């Protein structure tokens, strides 16, 4: 098996912080911030699918938005193909957006309802100047073929398609500019399970065909299991575990990952997994718990967990965990 040391890094996120200022009604109150992403670092290798999972509010979508610079990060660095994208001018960033595409959860909201599919695809190619005007029609027909839509789709509007077909249009639009990395933000969450499987298989085929890299953001562990090479688990703005998919699903080490996985239904009666019910709600990211952020809900929390934040450490090959107990387990 290829090791991470032999793979080429396409994206490197280094100590990323994304804080949002909370509006107060008084000038004299101290400023408060929602610490949506708080010191997150990870690497993404060319041609792989890294999924980010966690409950709502864990910072997974905010991380994706920061990489796309849809929100300007508070601190940290983001390197894409070796360039620090936070230092790029607006013009340079616009050019880079061709390499860095996004597919959102709701294709209906992200496709202009007043444009036909032809106009949508033509506009994407024109902005990035990837295909000269005379060749664009051939390219559009080719894109429709890749995503499994008939040629007559070109003259139709987004509302004339089903949810799954609209997501295929969103994928065609992303492909139109020959991207290297696609961020899929809950890209199949709004679809029925059978359509989800079709879109996930399509993404996998296209990845193979065009050597694409995916950063796949999802709350759905069944979907993540289907599509990922590696998985990164986030809790309250922090990374708690990163591992190859099989390792993470077979031998999770962080108590939060263990609880998340215990909630996946299984059809195999021999695989009896005890459901771990977490107590309480996710604390507010405005005032996250001290020490390990998970200590208020962790069934194994010790005194040390309340005061000392565990570092993200490589406990086994390519398996990173931030937990005081996990780091002392015999490997
Ligand atoms: Fe639980 Fe402590 Fe590990 Fe945090 S560091 S996950 S509180 S055992």
């Amino acid at each position: 098996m290829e090791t991470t040391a032999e793979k080429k890094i396409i994206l490197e996120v280094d100590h990323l912080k994304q804080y949002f200022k909370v509006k107060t009604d008084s000038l004299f109150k101290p400023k408060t911030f929602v610490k949506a992403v708080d010191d997150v670092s990870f690497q993404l290798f060319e041609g792989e699918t890294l999924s980010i999972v966690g409950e709502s509010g864990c910072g997974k979508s905010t991380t994706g938005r920061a990489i796309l610079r849809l929100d300007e990060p508070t601190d940290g660095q983001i390197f894409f193909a070796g360039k620090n994208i936070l230092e790029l001018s607006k013009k340079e960033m616009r050019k880079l957006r061709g390499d860095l595409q996004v597919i959102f959860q709701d294709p209906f909201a992200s496709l202009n309802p007043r444009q036909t599919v032809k106009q949508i695809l033509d506009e994407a190619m024109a902005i990035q100047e990837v295909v000269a005007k005379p060749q664009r029609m051939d390219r559009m027909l080719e894109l429709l073929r890749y995503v499994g839509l008939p040629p007559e789709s070109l003259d139709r509007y987004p509302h004339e398609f089903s949810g799954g077909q609209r997501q295929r249009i969103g994928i065609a639009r992303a492909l139109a500019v020959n991207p290297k990395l696609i961020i899929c933000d809950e890209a199949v969450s709004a679809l029925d399970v059978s359509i989800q499987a079709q879109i996930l298989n399509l993404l996998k085929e296209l990845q193979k065909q065009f050597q694409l890299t995916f950063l796949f953001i999802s709350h759905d562990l069944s979907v993540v299991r289907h599509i990922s090479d590696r998985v990164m688990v986030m809790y309250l703005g922090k990374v708690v575990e990163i591992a190859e998919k099989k390792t993470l699903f077979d031998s999770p080490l962080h108590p939060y990952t263990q609880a998340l996985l215990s909630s996946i239904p299984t059809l195999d009666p021999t695989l009896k997994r005890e459901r771990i019910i977490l107590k309480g709600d996710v604390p507010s990211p405005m005032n996250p718990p001290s020490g390990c952020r998970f200590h208020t809900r962790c069934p194994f929390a010790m005194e040390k967990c309340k005061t000392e934040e565990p570092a993200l450490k490589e406990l086994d090959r390519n398996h990173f965990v931030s937990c005081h107990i996990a780091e002392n387990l015999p490997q």
Side-chain angles (χ1 to χ4, degrees):
M1 186 202 271
E2 209 178 358
T3 67
T4 47
E6 292 156 358
K7 293 177 186 168
K8 197 170 162 204
I9 297 169
I10 188 166
L11 179 85
E12 182 151 16
V13 173
D14 205 10
H15 299 290
L16 179 70
K17 290 185 182 174
Q18 184 74 70
Y19 295 177
F20 298 106
K21 202 152 101 192
V22 179
K23 280 193 187 147
T24 55
D25 47 8
S26 162
L27 281 175
F28 306 105
K29 276 192 188 160
K31 283 182 192 155
T32 44
F33 295 89
V34 170
K35 296 177 177 176
V37 173
D38 203 4
D39 201 5
V40 161
S41 300
F42 64 94
Q43 295 170 332
L44 186 55
F45 301 102
E46 216 167 59
E48 77 163 342
T49 300
L50 172 69
S51 292
I52 311 184
V53 288
E55 289 163 291
S56 153
C58 70
K60 54 190 188 307
S61 289
T62 309
T63 302
R65 289 181 63 83
I67 294 166
L68 292 160
R69 281 184 72 184
L70 296 176
D71 298 316
E72 282 301 315
T74 310
D75 202 2
Q77 294 184 311
I78 301 170
F79 295 92
F80 177 72
K83 274 187 203 155
N84 185 353
I85 63 170
L86 302 182
E87 287 174 357
L88 299 182
S89 65
K90 273 193 181 152
K91 194 174 161 201
E92 289 168 321
M93 194 61 211
R94 225 181 353 255
K95 210 163 161 223
L96 190 89
R97 286 235 160 83
D99 288 342
L100 202 58
Q101 285 290 293
V102 61
I103 301 169
F104 289 109
Q105 173 177 3
D106 182 359
F108 203 43
S110 63
L111 300 173
N112 186 340
R114 281 185 282 276
Q115 285 185 326
T116 60
V117 172
K118 186 175 165 190
Q119 288 166 326
I120 289 168
L121 297 179
D122 188 73
E123 186 180 75
M125 287 188 271
I127 291 173
Q128 289 299 329
E129 299 170 9
V130 281
V131 183
K133 208 169 171 59
Q135 279 88 50
R136 282 197 209 137
M137 180 52 86
D138 285 347
R139 176 69 175 149
M140 284 189 257
L141 292 170
E142 189 179 40
L143 288 166
L144 289 182
R145 217 171 37 246
Y146 290 146
V147 299
L149 288 173
E152 51 275 21
S153 306
L154 282 179
D155 295 318
R156 291 162 63 193
Y157 291 87
H159 74 267
E160 296 177 65
F161 295 89
S162 68
Q165 287 171 327
R166 281 201 288 268
Q167 202 52 296
R168 286 174 192 267
I169 300 169
I171 295 169
R173 183 178 58 181
L175 284 181
V177 295
N178 305 325
K180 293 192 173 85
L181 166 63
I182 301 184
I183 297 181
C184 302
D185 189 358
E186 300 282 6
V188 296
S189 303
L191 307 173
D192 292 343
V193 176
S194 62
I195 311 289
Q196 273 187 357
Q198 289 173 17
I199 299 293
L200 290 174
N201 290 337
L202 172 65
L203 288 171
K204 277 177 136 183
E205 272 168 36
L206 295 171
Q207 178 173 44
K208 224 189 282 168
Q209 201 170 348
F210 301 109
Q211 289 84 47
L212 296 168
T213 306
F214 289 132
L215 183 64
F216 200 88
I217 297 166
S218 176
H219 69 281
D220 187 332
L221 285 156
S222 309
V223 164
V224 163
R225 186 174 219 160
H226 192 83
I227 191 118
S228 316
D229 294 307
R230 287 189 304 137
V231 182
M232 173 166 118
V233 183
M234 286 186 74
Y235 181 78
L236 213 54
K238 296 272 185 191
V239 176
V240 298
E241 188 157 5
I242 311 179
E244 277 157 20
K245 174 179 68 179
K246 187 166 175 6
T247 308
L248 191 114
F249 277 85
D250 290 354
S251 338
L253 289 179
H254 196 282
Y256 178 60
T257 313
Q258 290 167 353
L260 281 185
L261 295 181
S262 78
S263 65
I264 309 177
T266 168
L267 294 175
D268 183 349
T270 61
L271 277 179
K272 267 209 156 174
R273 228 183 337 224
E274 202 182 319
R275 177 94 197 257
I276 304 168
I277 311 276
L278 293 176
K279 49 183 183 187
D281 295 325
V282 181
S284 162
M286 262 196 287
N287 189 17
S290 58
C292 171
R293 290 192 176 185
F294 187 54
H295 84 254
T296 53
R297 302 173 79 202
C298 179
F300 311 108
M302 319 173 280
E303 271 312 300
K304 182 185 181 183
C305 305
K306 296 182 189 168
T307 50
E308 270 182 51
E309 185 178 341
L312 188 69
K313 291 185 185 164
E314 187 170 13
L315 302 188
D316 203 355
R317 201 165 139 261
N318 304 328
H319 192 170
F320 297 80
V321 188
S322 71
C323 170
H324 293 309
I325 287 186
E327 70 187 36
N328 288 312
L329 288 174
Q331 297 301 322

